[in-house]
Amino acid sequence: MYLHENMLFRWVGYDVEMGTDKAELSAPKRPLIPAKTELSDEQREQYLDRLRDAFNPSKGLRVSGYHCQDKVGAYHAAVAPRHCLFFTEQAAGDAKDHWRRYGRMGFGFSKRAIFNHGGSPVIYTGGKDSILEESIDTLRRHLVESEADSTVADAFEVFARFVKVTRMPPGDVSTGKTQPRTNRGSKGTTRRKMDPMTYPTEQRIRFLAEREWRLLENPSQKRRWRRYSDGWLWFRPELGRELQLVILPDNRTLRMAIACDTIRKSLVLPNRPPVQLITADALKKI
């Protein structure tokens, strides 16, 4: 289906429901948004503020600080990593576990548009013995110790920004809780014999199902990447052609959005496709 196969989604609004302190945590450490929590009208308005920002020609999508950067390898970065926007290729109707970690409002983008602007899927790596992590660590150490030209170091960090570490304790994605480990070597513990003809138990690799994409800040595209007066970096998408769909938390939020003149007038602009609004409730029926 077009909605699932040719779009990337960026989910926002975690801080609206869980507070800014928890939103500052890296995604793996965040407590999940309760699945059945009813939003207040004040929270719905805060979500709609994100939508108004997205439609504002001077703003767009706010790029988070991301001070909790992905750490790949043991060596520190040669230069400060560039800011970037995160997207998921995961089908919107299957994104319950995803939005509980990032927020209930989803911005749906043309995958082709993000790709044309330099966006790309991340490369996942999941262990201390990963040859990819070792290679990144070796190159970073060389760049720092040799005091390489900053242009070369920056070019390398662009590549490294597309590597995502998935190494985490085994746990339940739906709860975010890690499973307790059993000390099999402790006194009184009986080791269970493994049947040599049995396949090993497979554990789900966390975050792999998100199929993450990243779009790095491009300083040469000043019309799209702007530092606003509030100090935040913003990415300005082209409405209709790039930002094509917005998923709202519930039907009441949709009614409030349609009642807002600013939002309603921005949905349909001259000589471009409309931005579609849909609710999470409606997605369950598609």
Side-chain angles (χ1 to χ4, degrees), residues 12-228:
V12 303
Y14 180 90
D15 59 307
V16 170
E17 300 186 55
M18 302 298 285
T20 54
D21 290 343
K22 293 178 180 178
E24 290 294 325
L25 298 173
S26 60
K29 297 179 181 179
R30 289 178 179 177
L32 300 182
I33 295 174
K36 297 183 179 180
T37 301
E38 181 74 18
L39 291 174
S40 66
D41 282 352
E42 181 181 357
Q43 289 173 318
R44 292 185 177 97
E45 276 296 338
Q46 290 180 57
Y47 269 115
L48 292 180
D49 284 341
R50 307 296 170 87
L51 184 55
R52 283 184 277 264
D53 285 340
F55 290 166
N56 185 339
S58 298
K59 290 187 174 181
L61 296 182
R62 196 179 76 178
V63 182
S64 300
Y66 300 124
H67 60 274
C68 299
Q69 305 285 359
D70 287 330
K71 185 176 181 181
V72 181
Y75 215 71
H76 60 278
V79 296
R82 291 190 190 182
H83 290 86
C84 72
L85 286 173
F86 297 119
F87 302 89
T88 177
E89 198 175 16
Q90 188 177 39
D94 300 330
K96 177 180 178 181
D97 292 334
H98 190 89
W99 68 252
R100 292 183 65 195
R101 202 177 296 277
Y102 299 100
R104 301 193 204 214
M105 177 173 283
F107 291 96
F109 285 81
S110 158
K111 186 185 294 185
R112 169 63 65 179
I114 298 300
F115 184 76
N116 288 343
H117 288 306
S120 182
V122 302
I123 305 170
Y124 289 92
T125 177
K128 62 182 180 180
D129 297 324
S130 166
I131 190 172
L132 180 59
E133 288 192 54
E134 291 178 3
S135 299
I136 289 176
D137 194 47
T138 299
L139 286 170
R140 274 183 171 153
R141 182 180 292 108
H142 170 74
L143 290 171
V144 172
E145 293 178 354
S146 65
E147 298 183 353
D149 181 88
S150 61
T151 303
V152 176
D154 184 63
F156 171 73
E157 291 301 337
V158 167
F159 163 76
R161 201 72 173 91
F162 284 96
V163 178
K164 181 179 178 67
V165 177
T166 62
R167 184 171 63 251
M168 294 181 64
D172 182 359
V173 175
S174 63
T175 63
K177 297 179 180 179
T178 58
Q179 298 172 351
R181 295 184 177 181
T182 302
N183 184 1
R184 295 186 177 181
S186 62
K187 187 176 180 180
T189 302
T190 303
R191 290 180 178 271
R192 191 179 69 175
K193 284 188 176 181
M194 284 290 295
D195 184 348
M197 298 302 293
T198 300
Y199 290 112
T201 302
E202 293 291 336
Q203 292 181 334
R204 185 176 181 183
I205 302 175
R206 300 180 77 179
F207 299 112
L208 204 61
E210 292 182 357
R211 302 194 295 278
E212 184 179 317
W213 281 54
R214 294 181 179 180
L215 176 65
L216 269 63
E217 175 192 4
N218 188 341
S220 66
Q221 296 179 348
K222 295 182 179 180
R223 187 178 68 86
R224 293 189 175 276
W225 300 89
R226 293 182 177 181
R227 185 74 61 177
Y228 199 64

